[in-house]
Every structure is written in structure tokens, then in C-alpha cells.
Amino acid sequence: MNDDATPVAAGKPGMALEVHALGKTFVGRERSSVAIGEVGFEVADREFVTVVGPSGCGKTTLLKCIAGLMAPSAGETRFGGARVSGPVSDMALVFQDYSRSLFPWLTVRKNVLLPLRGGARSDREQTVLESLEAVGLTRFIDHYPSQLSGGMQQRVAIARALAVRPRMLLMDEPFASVDAQTRADLEDLVLRIHAEFEVTMLLVTHDIDESVYMSDRVIILTTSPAYVQEVLPIELPRPRAQDVTKAAPQFASLRTHVYRAITQAHGDTRRSTTAAAAPNPVELSTKQNSAFLV
């Protein structure tokens, strides 16, 4: 990636990411669509933060704006105190669809090697080996993506992101296309990577259990156009384990809290939509009478 973070005044100490009043409107010929109303939050160095919200609320659009892949219509993102105006070298993104992010004609080795530039080839090869070792795939280094399971392909995508040794890792629903057991394994893999590499994490997910299990904080968005409804601290002890953490009463309480916040947002939207759609008797009468005045 090219480093395209524009230096500005220094950001807050200890903050890896600062999102300030970010908004996104898609402008068409006949109409415009507001995807993100106004979103603002911060992510501290080495923190694990998850973004959740109702389906279609703009989570992926938000992540693309943060990553510098899409220009916001309003507000800004600062990474390490610098304004993000394009893809940044210290920030890596893992996409949801691993089958479209990996190059099928390249081996696992060459897929992970792809973003590495400069330096001795032996050093780059060592980085590839270390990254694949972190995700448990060194044995499949010369396989092609089509020879791997879905979960293994996503591990390759994660290894490729790790290969650039990012300060921050962005993940867009990375486990949505795998089965439940593989999902649990990948969740634990990412938590281990977070601890071992001391990388800051921002995860977008629609899975409430996942958001609580993995995070230090959960950012709950409203329906589209998205606003931050709540920032919920997750004070569960680390390291976390699927069988222990998810069985804890505190986990159940936090999960219920997030679920109610999201369903409340859905309910508020349905009520406001119904109210907007219902004709006002006075206005209806006025419109009917005005027809005779034309």
C-alpha cells in the first residue's frame, strides 16, 4: 500500500485512530443516498474495538472510509495523528470474501509475498514464513487457494495482512462465510494475533456474540444513515476462551445489552417510517380540496 496519510497536528497521545464527524453520501443523477450520518469515535493503541449495527447501516462503508479506500463526504479520519486521504502503509484490511481477495493463480507463498516490496528477497521470504506460521499454514505454503478450505483461505488473507507488519488491522466481517466451528477457531486465532503482535484491531461484524467475545469496546451504530448509538466497554478477563468466556453470566448480560440496542434501533426506524408513511388527515383533506382549485 502507498502511505497516504497527510501530516497534521499531532493526535491524542495513545490513540491509534480518531474518527471525527465522518459522513458519507452517495450522489446519483436523480437522488442521493446518505449512508453514514455522522460517526465519531477513537481507538487506542493495541485496543480491540468492534463495530456492530443493523444490517445495511453502513458498517462496510465506514470501514472503507477509515481505510482510505473511499473518500468521506464530511469529517475525517486520523491515523497516528495524520489525516487519512488514501491507503496507509501501517494499516491493513482483511475483506469478507476471501475467494475474491486471494489470487487463484498464485500459491499461498506468492499471495502472502505480494504486498512486500523492497529489501532482500531472503528477508521477505522469512516474513512470509513467519506470517504463515502465525496462522498455522506453513505446511500449505506451496498450495493454491482452490486446494484449501474456506477457513484456510481466510487464514491466508490474514497472513498476507500480517506480512506488512501493520500497526492497525481492519477486518470487514472476515468470518461471515465460514461454518460455526471454523468461525470460533478463527476468532481465537485473531485474538492470539492481537496479543502476540500487539496490533490495534478494528472489526466490523454482524455477529453479536463475536463482538462481545473479541472486544475491549463495542461501538453500536444506528440504522442508516449511521450514527453512534452507544460505545459499550467489554470488561471480560483476557485471555478469553470459547467454552469459558461465553458461559460467563457477564458475557450473557453484555450480549443481551447489545442485542437490545440493535433491535431498539430497528424498532425506532420502523416506527418513524410508519409515521412518515401515514397520511396526515388535515394535509389529505387540503390536497383533496385543492384539486378543485386547479
Side-chain angles (χ1 to χ4, degrees):
M1 287 186 177
N2 295 324
D3 194 346
D4 199 4
T6 305
V8 292
K12 294 183 180 180
M15 287 297 164
L17 184 74
E18 300 167 66
V19 181
H20 297 289
L22 190 145
K24 180 63 181 178
T25 300
F26 293 99
V27 180
R29 290 185 178 181
E30 298 182 358
R31 57 180 295 181
S32 297
S33 174
V34 182
I36 303 173
E38 183 177 307
V39 170
F41 60 88
E42 298 170 340
V43 181
D45 281 321
R46 304 176 183 176
E47 189 178 20
F48 200 127
V49 173
T50 299
V51 177
V52 298
S55 178
C57 72
K59 298 185 292 294
T60 295
T61 299
L62 173 64
L63 202 66
K64 288 180 178 179
C65 289
I66 290 171
L69 300 178
M70 182 183 291
S73 304
E76 66 175 8
T77 298
R78 294 186 183 185
F79 178 64
R83 182 172 59 84
V84 174
S85 55
V88 183
S89 60
D90 283 342
M91 187 186 289
L93 176 60
V94 176
F95 295 95
Q96 175 180 343
D97 192 349
Y98 48 79
S99 65
R100 296 175 64 183
S101 65
L102 298 179
F103 294 92
W105 59 87
L106 297 180
T107 62
V108 168
R109 181 197 305 271
K110 291 182 178 179
N111 264 288
V112 178
L113 186 64
L114 193 65
L116 301 180
R117 297 288 184 271
R121 182 170 183 88
S122 59
D123 292 339
R124 284 181 278 145
E125 288 282 358
Q126 182 60 33
T127 299
V128 170
L129 286 172
E130 292 172 356
S131 300
L132 288 172
E133 184 177 5
V135 299
L137 285 181
T138 52
R139 192 159 58 93
F140 301 91
I141 191 168
D142 292 317
H143 285 58
Y144 288 89
S146 62
Q147 298 173 304
L148 306 177
S149 68
M152 293 168 74
Q153 289 183 53
Q154 192 62 295
R155 286 173 184 255
V156 176
I158 294 170
R160 186 172 60 189
L162 283 177
V164 300
R165 297 297 184 263
R167 179 182 170 190
M168 185 167 195
L169 188 58
L170 309 177
M171 309 186 82
D172 182 17
E173 300 193 14
F175 317 133
S177 302
V178 297
D179 61 83
Q181 182 58 56
T182 302
R183 187 183 197 113
D185 292 341
L186 288 172
E187 288 172 355
D188 289 339
L189 170 68
V190 170
L191 286 179
R192 190 176 74 248
I193 288 171
H194 173 244
E196 291 180 3
F197 287 78
E198 297 184 334
V199 61
T200 306
M201 297 274 194
L202 182 63
L203 168 72
V204 162
T205 182
H206 64 269
D207 190 287
I208 295 173
D209 284 23
E210 186 170 274
S211 70
V212 174
Y213 178 67
M214 302 188 75
S215 307
D216 297 313
R217 288 186 298 138
V218 175
I219 296 170
I220 306 171
L221 301 182
T222 65
T223 52
S224 182
Y227 292 83
V228 175
Q229 178 178 343
E230 183 180 357
V231 179
L232 178 67
I234 306 295
E235 297 177 348
L236 295 170
R238 292 188 186 273
R240 295 176 186 170
Q242 297 283 344
D243 56 343
V244 177
T245 303
K246 291 185 177 180
Q250 188 180 3
F251 177 89
S253 176
L254 290 165
R255 183 200 180 283
T256 301
H257 184 105
V258 176
Y259 173 79
R260 286 176 175 168
I262 293 175
T263 53
Q264 179 184 346
H266 268 303
D268 291 345
T269 301
R270 283 196 296 269
R271 284 191 292 272
S272 62
T273 302
T274 302
N280 184 310
V282 175
E283 291 180 356
L284 184 60
S285 176
T286 302
K287 288 179 181 179
Q288 290 173 335
N289 291 336
S290 66
F292 297 97
L293 301 177
V294 175

